[in-house]
């Protein structure tokens, strides 16, 4: 009598409905990432925050600009040339040691920061802002602190984001064009964008041929891609506004924006994680006395009486020292819990506000708060934008009213930037109209 040998167990296979569900979820994720630029309010806050931080810094240092980054700097122009020749850094201030050239670059950096803050021609302003930040910081690398390093990185990242979808003049211009289109009127001719593109093109070509873009390869490649893509955007919007080339450019821009936003989030997590873990290794952080020493330094004591009061309490110093380490180490692990993440965000923003007040580092604190904004909840940012709009309307209501009728020659009322949830499209993001949102060099 023969026995049937036992059959090998058959590996369990997923049910067809599970495969279909996984495919549907993947398709939705791909559609979400390619069809819209995520985090419009977060990216707008990052744009406004970093542009305001560097603008205020440049304005504050206006009387001392020559000693910090100009011809009177202790770090002489020849020394800066030797350093950049070794580390292949980029700075247009090293193209010439002329005082007039320095003043022109400094003024252009101030204007680009102001334009980026307002969201005017945002793509162009973001490129000029990046060039200005890299040029000024690389001219005298020993003048900065940790906040300057964050601004340095974010200035590069902002170039790749669609950070003017809300709270920008570009959105207002797009709203005007949409209003004219609804009335059956042709769009107003844009002369500023093509002029900027035509002027910056020869400058980029000359800098490339003369080797003035530093020793790295990524910077000239990035600048040329941005300049050429601006022409592609203009051609698509001019000749095929609803065609496949326009849709393809939108998808590529959304992918670049979303990937860059993810990089910014990872960057912020790395900043806090590395800072926290390095603090753990320090003996002063381990015994809870680290905060005491900067409070007793005259250089970090803008309010000596307040610093002395805080430093005189051993318990308060120990609590703040340990709390700083715990918050920085724990923050990256709280991102999967929304409520806990929001609590730590409030604590970290308060911590940076305290650093600005107690240690006299306002621009470092502004830069870190702007970086933290990438994790702020959208509901809070929408509410904040609504409060700001309400305050603006009340302020304008106190001013003398002007005639706004077309017959009187006054400006017509234009819909403001979309900031309320009900004004967004079905994807949950701010709608994009043509070249609105500042995603092209020419519009």
């Amino acid at each position: 009598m023969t026995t049937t040998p036992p059959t090998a167990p058959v590996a369990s296979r997923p049910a067809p409905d599970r495969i279909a569900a996984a495919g549907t979820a993947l398709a939705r994720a791909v559609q979400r990432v390619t069809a819209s630029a995520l985090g419009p309010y977060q990216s707008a806050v990052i744009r406004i925050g970093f542009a305001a931080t560097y603008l205020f810094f440049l304005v504050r240092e206006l009387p001392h600009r020559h000693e910090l980054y100009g011809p009177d700097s202790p770090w002489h122009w020849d020394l800066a040339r030797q350093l950049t020749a070794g580390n292949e850094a980029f700075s247009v201030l090293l193209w010439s040691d002329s005082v007039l050239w320095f003043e022109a670059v400094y003024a252009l950096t101030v204007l680009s920061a102001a334009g980026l803050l307002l969201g005017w021609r945002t793509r162009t302003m973001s490129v000029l802002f990046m060039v200005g930040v890299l040029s000024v910081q690389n001219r005298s690398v020993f003048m900065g602190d940790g906040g300057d390093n964050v601004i340095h990185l974010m200035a590069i990242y902002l170039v790749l984001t669609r950070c003017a979808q809300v709270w920008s003049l570009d959105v207002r211009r797009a709203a005007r064009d949409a209003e004219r289109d609804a009335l059956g009127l042709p769009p107003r001719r844009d002369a500023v964008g093509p002029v900027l593109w035509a002027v910056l093109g020869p400058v980029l070509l000359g800098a490339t041929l003369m080797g003035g873009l530093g020793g790295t390869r990524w910077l000239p490649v990035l600048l040329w891609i941005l300049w050429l893509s601006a022409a592609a955007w203009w051609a698509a919007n001019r000749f095929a506004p609803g065609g496949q080339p326009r849709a393809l450019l939108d998808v590529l821009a959304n992918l670049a924006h979303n990937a860059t936003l993810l990089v910014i989030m990872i960057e912020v997590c790395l900043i806090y994680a590395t800072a926290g873990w390095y603090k753990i290794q320090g003996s002063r952080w381990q015994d809870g006395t680290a905060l005491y020493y900067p409070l007793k330094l005259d250089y970090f004591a803008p309010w000596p009486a307040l610093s002395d009061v805080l430093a005189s309490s051993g318990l308060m110093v120990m609590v703040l020292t340990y709390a700083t380490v715990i918050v920085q180490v724990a923050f990256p692990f709280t991102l999967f819990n929304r409520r806990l993440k929001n609590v730590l965000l409030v604590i970290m923003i308060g911590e940076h506000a305290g650093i600005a007040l107690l240690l006299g580092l306002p621009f470092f604190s502004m830069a870190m708060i702007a970086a933290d904004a990438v994790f702020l909840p959208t509901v809070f940012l929408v509410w904040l934008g609504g409060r700001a709009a309400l305050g603006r309307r009340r302020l304008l209501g106190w001013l003398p009213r002007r005639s706004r009728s077309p017959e009187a020659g006054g400006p017509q009322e234009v819909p403001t930037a979309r900031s309320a949830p009900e004004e967004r499209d079905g994807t949950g993001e701010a709608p994009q109209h043509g070249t609105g949102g500042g995603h092209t060099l020419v519009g």
Side-chain angles (χ1 to χ4, degrees):
M1 182 175 181
T2 60
T3 59
T4 304
T7 58
V10 180
S12 60
R13 297 179 180 178
D17 55 344
R18 293 184 180 179
I19 297 178
T24 302
L26 179 60
R28 289 178 179 176
V30 173
Q31 174 68 15
R32 177 69 169 166
V33 172
T34 58
S36 61
L38 305 178
Y41 295 95
Q42 287 80 1
S43 57
V45 172
I46 293 173
R47 166 180 61 84
I48 295 171
F50 281 100
T53 299
Y54 210 62
L55 175 62
F56 295 157
F57 171 77
L58 294 176
V59 172
R60 191 196 70 170
E61 300 298 345
L62 196 62
H64 313 289
R65 63 190 184 280
H66 286 185
E67 291 80 9
L68 290 176
Y69 304 104
D72 299 333
S73 173
W75 188 248
H76 196 264
W77 188 81
D78 292 333
L79 295 176
R81 289 274 295 182
Q82 296 178 27
L83 180 62
T84 55
N87 60 17
E88 300 182 339
F90 162 76
S91 176
V92 299
L93 287 175
L94 299 179
W95 292 359
S96 171
D97 59 352
S98 168
V99 177
L100 182 61
W101 175 247
F102 168 77
E103 297 289 1
V105 173
Y106 198 93
L108 181 63
T109 306
V110 171
L111 293 176
S112 64
L116 186 62
L117 172 65
L118 299 174
W120 181 79
R121 307 286 171 174
T122 309
R123 181 62 70 212
T124 306
M125 292 301 106
S126 65
V127 174
L128 295 179
F129 179 73
M130 177 189 70
V131 171
V133 169
L134 297 182
S135 299
V136 172
Q137 291 188 356
N138 290 336
R139 167 61 180 85
S140 299
V141 294
F142 302 106
M143 299 296 178
D145 54 24
D148 292 310
N149 294 332
V150 177
I151 295 175
H152 189 111
L153 293 173
M154 294 300 174
I156 300 173
Y157 297 152
L158 282 173
V159 173
L160 301 174
T161 62
R162 308 182 81 168
C163 55
Q165 299 176 94
V166 295
W167 302 336
S168 68
L169 296 181
D170 288 343
V171 170
R172 293 177 64 87
R173 187 173 69 252
R176 295 190 186 100
D177 293 340
E179 186 182 59
R180 291 178 63 88
D181 183 68
L183 296 175
L185 300 175
R188 287 182 291 186
R189 183 175 295 275
D190 178 24
V192 178
V195 168
L196 288 173
W197 183 83
V199 170
L200 294 176
V203 174
L204 179 59
L205 178 61
T208 304
L209 295 178
M210 298 298 293
L213 297 180
T216 60
R217 294 184 179 180
W218 66 266
L219 183 60
V221 170
L222 174 62
L223 293 177
W224 276 110
I225 288 176
L226 291 172
W227 189 77
L228 294 175
S229 64
W233 272 108
W234 180 86
N237 288 317
R238 179 70 180 273
F239 302 108
Q244 294 298 323
R246 177 67 169 78
L248 176 61
L249 291 174
D250 254 325
V251 169
L252 294 177
N254 290 334
L255 286 174
H257 168 92
N258 296 329
T260 305
L261 204 61
L262 178 61
V263 170
I264 292 175
M265 294 179 181
I266 296 174
E267 188 78 39
V268 175
C269 291
L270 288 176
I271 290 174
Y272 284 117
T274 54
W277 286 107
Y278 272 111
K279 286 182 175 65
I280 289 177
Q281 302 176 40
S283 59
R284 295 293 176 262
W285 291 96
Q286 293 175 6
D287 59 26
T289 62
L291 186 61
Y292 173 83
Y293 298 98
L295 291 175
K296 303 303 290 184
L297 293 176
D298 294 338
Y299 184 78
F300 293 110
W303 312 98
L306 184 59
S307 300
D308 289 340
V309 170
L310 183 59
S312 62
S313 174
L315 178 61
M316 184 62 68
V317 169
M318 183 185 67
V319 170
L320 292 178
T321 300
Y322 286 148
T324 299
V325 177
I326 293 172
V327 169
Q328 291 182 350
V329 173
F331 177 72
F333 301 100
T334 64
L335 298 181
F336 301 102
N337 188 308
R338 180 177 302 178
R339 293 182 179 179
L340 187 56
K341 180 261 296 183
N342 292 337
V343 171
L344 288 187
L345 270 178
V346 173
I347 295 175
M348 287 193 301
I349 292 175
E351 174 189 345
H352 291 306
I355 291 174
L357 178 64
L358 294 173
L359 302 183
L361 298 173
F363 300 110
F364 167 79
S365 298
M366 288 179 63
M368 292 308 304
I369 291 174
D372 294 340
V374 71
F375 296 108
L376 289 175
T378 302
V379 174
F380 169 74
L381 294 177
V382 171
W383 174 85
L384 188 64
R387 297 301 95 189
L390 179 60
R392 180 178 63 86
R393 287 195 296 267
R394 289 180 176 177
L395 178 61
L396 294 178
W398 296 338
L399 300 178
R401 293 184 177 274
R402 297 183 302 169
S403 174
R404 294 187 177 272
S405 61
E407 293 79 4
Q412 301 185 34
E413 284 290 344
V414 180
T416 57
R418 290 160 290 279
S419 59
E422 60 272 15
E423 293 173 331
R424 293 179 287 167
D425 60 12
T427 63
E429 304 296 335
Q432 299 156 7
H433 300 278
T435 57
H439 57 268
T440 75
L441 190 64
V442 295

